[in-house]
Amino acid sequence: MKTTRRTLLLAAPELVLGAGELRCEVAIVGASVGGCAAALAALRNGRRVILTEETAWIGGQLTSQAVPPDEHPWIEQFGATESYRAYRRGVREHYRRHYPLTAEARRRAQLNPGDGSVSRLAHEPRVSLAVLEQMLAPYASGGQLTVLRQHRPMKADVAGDKVRAVTLRSASGREVTIEASYFLDGTEQGDLLPLTRTEYVTGFESRKQTGELHAPEKPQPANQQAFTVCFAVDYLPGEDHTIDRPDEYAFWRDYVPRMRPPWPGKLLSWSMSNPQTLQERAVTFDPAAERNPAGLLNLFIYRRIANRRNFAPGTYASDISLVNWPQNDYWLGNLTEVSAEEAARHLERGKQLSLSLLYWMQTEAPRLDGGQGWKGLRLRGDITGTEDGLAMYPYIRESRRVEAEFTVVEEHVGTEARMKATGLKREEVTAQAFPDSVGVGSYRIDLHPSSGGDNYIDVSSLPFQIPLGALIPKRMENLLPACKNLGVTHITNGCYRLHPVEWNIGEAAGALAAHAILTGRTPRQIRNQAKLLGDFQAMLAAQGVEIAWPRLLPR
């Protein structure tokens, strides 16, 4: 029997790799949270998929960026796709199977391994990595999926309104070109958009452009939210794990942010802006405490990913906490729309900020007992999988955003803006209902301080839907956004960027590509023809995607 390229791909993908070319039906560039969800959706609908990732770990926010899930208050009951629920169940089951939990922790249906106050499922990034790889494993073993780690997109072959191929370069310098029927951008910063000449926006749009209540008078395309280089620490009292003094420590120790409205003093302190009121907010830090003190947030507990009390004595020498705080948000420059050299400089400075924060905590930070510093704080690079001890990739809050058939603006989802638009009272108002909904989400419009000098913009939003129109570019026919790069604004990005929403976005994009291939219709046709849209929404519902919230939500 003659061996074809297709046979090689299904049976032994690495043989095709040797030729420098790969072909599939759905190529997903970027194994972010959304990218992984997109792959799972396309795979379960029978498509052949290639999933690529710039780092050594798939999973984006959950793994290489080391950010525990930020989720809405009803996540245990509703408001997520079935595959996201399967991921969450997988995390808990992984701990039950492989970790020596205490009997009490093992009995807890809603086990929270770290008991972090920010998340109902605060856990170590390697556990998310294991669960995501397990979810994809059957497809990889069967030859339906090829995963290319440490591959970065470099260029694209575009003909008119279609992408024909994308070329990536591996960490070793080898190039591989992927041809596909559909390309999904699952990168953290929307990397495929400029490479494919797809129309996109960055930064803060003007009120004239969007009509949004909190938008500025003039557009600010270079004004983007801070990124953060996260890291994990534990605490061993009586030991000295002080790192070498970072090169930029003097700068960051003395740095006073210049913000509108003003920041209350130095960045490296136990005082910060309250995100909602912008008044000074005092926090505390105690790596030995078991719970938050009355009226204060203990930052060590905030994103604690391992609470040693949930495990058999001796399993952990200490609790482990993930540091992703205002004190290591970096806003002095951007990583996109700048030269590679400038982006590298800002990334390095972001790392210096995080290391300086750690060094300050080890040596000079004020303690509640009147002392200074905790020398026993230990940087846990083994938790993040890196030699420098920091996360593999910066936590990206704001991406390039595609110019889509439909753009979600503040007046669709913001509580105050919706009240103004509808004339309804707070207890009556709901988010805009989208007839082309492909999912749901809920999170405050939470914009961190930005490179344009804005302090927090943190305002109430309503449980919302994800419109299919936001996943379809105005012009391109076979390129789909699969994470934070959908049709939202600088403002609405603030509530569409968190873990379960990004998962739902990616899942809808992967399912859309698969459905388009199956039916022979374009995504645009599927959205704009009532019968096709209804069929697609029915398919999503049958596969466990919630496209509407319950009529009555607890207030």
Side-chain angles (χ1 to χ4, degrees):
M1 182 181 73
K2 182 178 179 181
T3 301
T4 64
R5 179 179 294 271
R6 175 175 175 137
T7 305
L8 284 173
L9 179 59
L10 291 173
E14 68 278 5
L15 297 181
V16 182
L17 267 176
E21 295 181 4
L22 286 169
R23 185 184 298 274
C24 65
E25 292 172 299
V26 180
I28 302 166
V29 179
S32 59
V33 172
C36 289
L40 287 165
L43 290 162
R44 74 167 178 255
N45 283 287
R47 301 303 106 196
R48 291 179 296 117
V49 173
I50 297 175
L51 176 65
T52 77
E53 168 54 31
E54 181 177 344
T55 73
W57 287 1
I58 64 170
Q61 292 186 64
L62 292 166
T63 60
S64 60
Q65 296 172 43
V67 182
D70 265 340
E71 301 169 328
H72 59 72
W74 311 287
I75 193 67
E76 303 289 357
Q77 290 79 40
F78 49 80
T81 74
E82 175 53 35
S83 67
Y84 185 74
R85 295 185 187 285
Y87 150 74
R88 296 179 90 255
R89 289 193 298 269
V91 170
R92 287 171 171 152
E93 185 61 25
H94 188 90
Y95 276 97
R96 291 190 175 100
R97 286 186 177 184
H98 302 292
Y99 284 70
L101 295 168
T102 64
E104 190 279 329
R106 189 172 296 279
R107 286 194 301 267
R108 207 182 310 155
Q110 297 180 3
L111 172 67
N112 187 348
D115 289 317
S117 59
V118 75
S119 174
R120 290 170 172 78
L121 195 61
H123 62 279
E124 296 175 44
R126 283 189 183 275
V127 174
S128 268
L129 177 65
V131 172
L132 291 171
E133 288 182 335
Q134 289 163 10
M135 294 175 79
L136 291 168
Y139 302 106
S141 296
Q144 189 183 345
L145 169 68
T146 299
V147 181
L148 303 180
R149 296 171 180 82
Q150 295 183 293
H151 278 71
R152 187 175 185 178
M154 304 304 296
K155 60 184 178 181
D157 179 7
V158 180
D161 299 336
K162 288 191 174 182
V163 182
R164 296 195 297 196
V166 171
T167 299
L168 303 99
R169 183 175 297 147
S170 73
S172 65
R174 181 181 61 180
E175 290 194 350
V176 58
T177 297
I178 301 173
E179 298 177 4
S181 300
Y182 280 88
F183 290 87
L184 275 58
D185 188 341
T187 65
E188 298 294 339
Q189 300 182 75
D191 294 342
L192 284 192
L193 302 182
L195 291 181
T196 58
R197 301 188 296 278
T198 300
E199 292 80 6
Y200 66 91
V201 296
T202 63
F204 213 160
E205 300 92 339
S206 70
R207 189 170 302 170
K208 182 178 180 180
Q209 289 172 301
T210 66
E212 291 175 304
L213 181 64
H214 288 91
E217 290 301 320
K218 295 182 179 180
Q220 302 170 8
N223 187 1
Q224 301 177 26
Q225 285 191 73
F227 68 85
T228 305
V229 180
C230 303
F231 60 94
V233 291
D234 61 6
Y235 177 58
L236 303 178
E239 298 185 12
D240 188 347
H241 293 278
T242 306
I243 63 172
D244 293 338
R245 179 185 168 109
D247 293 340
E248 290 194 16
Y249 179 66
F251 174 86
W252 291 113
R253 179 195 59 202
D254 300 331
Y255 172 65
V256 178
R258 296 180 178 179
M259 289 282 163
R260 303 179 302 270
W263 193 268
K266 292 183 179 181
L267 181 62
L268 299 192
S269 73
W270 300 134
S271 181
M272 51 184 269
S273 285
N274 183 306
Q276 297 174 30
T277 67
L278 299 182
Q279 300 301 306
E280 183 173 0
R281 179 190 186 187
V283 295
T284 188
F285 181 82
D286 184 353
E290 294 188 21
R291 58 185 61 87
N292 288 310
L296 276 178
L297 173 68
N298 180 356
L299 287 176
F300 190 84
I301 295 175
Y302 183 52
R303 294 186 191 274
R304 185 173 57 190
I305 57 176
N307 181 352
R308 68 184 186 280
R309 300 158 198 84
N310 285 330
F311 304 88
T315 304
Y316 288 86
S318 159
D319 295 352
I320 303 172
S321 184
L322 195 284
V323 180
N324 171 23
W325 309 334
Q327 288 86 345
N328 62 327
D329 279 358
Y330 180 89
W331 52 65
L332 296 186
N334 300 324
L335 300 179
T336 61
E337 309 308 296
V338 296
S339 68
E341 293 75 18
E342 185 174 350
R345 180 170 64 86
H346 287 307
L347 177 56
E348 178 56 32
R349 296 205 72 196
K351 292 180 178 181
Q352 281 288 308
L353 169 57
S354 287
L355 291 171
S356 295
L357 171 59
L358 173 60
Y359 186 78
W360 176 78
M361 290 193 295
Q362 291 172 325
T363 60
E364 296 188 54
R367 301 168 56 125
L368 292 174
D369 61 7
Q372 283 188 312
W374 289 266
K375 293 182 179 181
L377 286 174
R378 179 173 60 169
L379 185 60
R380 294 293 302 269
D382 56 321
I383 297 295
T384 55
T386 60
E387 292 184 5
D388 65 6
L390 305 174
M392 286 184 184
Y393 199 85
Y395 174 33
I396 304 296
R397 294 182 176 87
E398 184 170 345
S399 171
R400 300 177 180 94
R401 304 181 298 279
V402 67
E403 289 190 13
E405 283 214 332
F406 183 86
T407 300
V408 182
V409 299
E410 185 181 1
E411 276 61 26
H412 294 134
V413 299
T415 304
E416 183 182 359
R418 286 292 292 163
M419 290 168 62
K420 287 180 178 291
T422 63
L424 296 173
K425 297 178 182 178
R426 180 176 292 268
E427 62 270 17
E428 301 170 331
V429 71
T430 59
Q432 177 72 50
F434 298 127
D436 62 342
S437 173
V438 291
V440 297
S442 182
Y443 201 77
R444 289 182 66 86
I445 293 174
D446 171 20
L447 304 178
H448 280 234
S450 68
S451 58
D454 292 324
N455 205 324
Y456 283 98
I457 300 175
D458 188 311
V459 297
S460 172
S461 67
L462 300 156
F464 53 80
Q465 295 174 322
I466 303 167
L468 181 57
L471 303 185
I472 301 175
K474 284 184 175 180
R475 180 179 59 85
M476 298 297 284
E477 296 294 344
N478 69 334
L479 176 73
L480 300 172
C483 50
K484 296 182 288 289
N485 50 1
L486 77 165
V488 292
T489 65
H490 175 83
I491 290 177
T492 54
N493 161 78
C495 59
Y496 275 76
R497 65 179 174 83
L498 277 301
H499 303 69
V501 186
E502 184 183 325
W503 183 290
N504 196 152
I505 292 164
E507 184 167 354
L512 178 61
H515 195 65
I517 292 171
L518 177 67
T519 61
R521 304 301 183 97
T522 67
R524 205 176 314 280
Q525 290 172 328
I526 292 170
R527 184 211 176 210
N528 294 326
Q529 296 182 31
K531 174 65 167 58
L532 298 179
L533 174 61
D535 290 345
F536 179 58
Q537 290 175 315
M539 184 200 84
L540 289 176
Q543 295 183 14
V545 177
E546 299 176 24
I547 63 174
W549 286 94
R551 289 191 62 185
L552 296 176
L553 286 174
R555 289 280 180 172

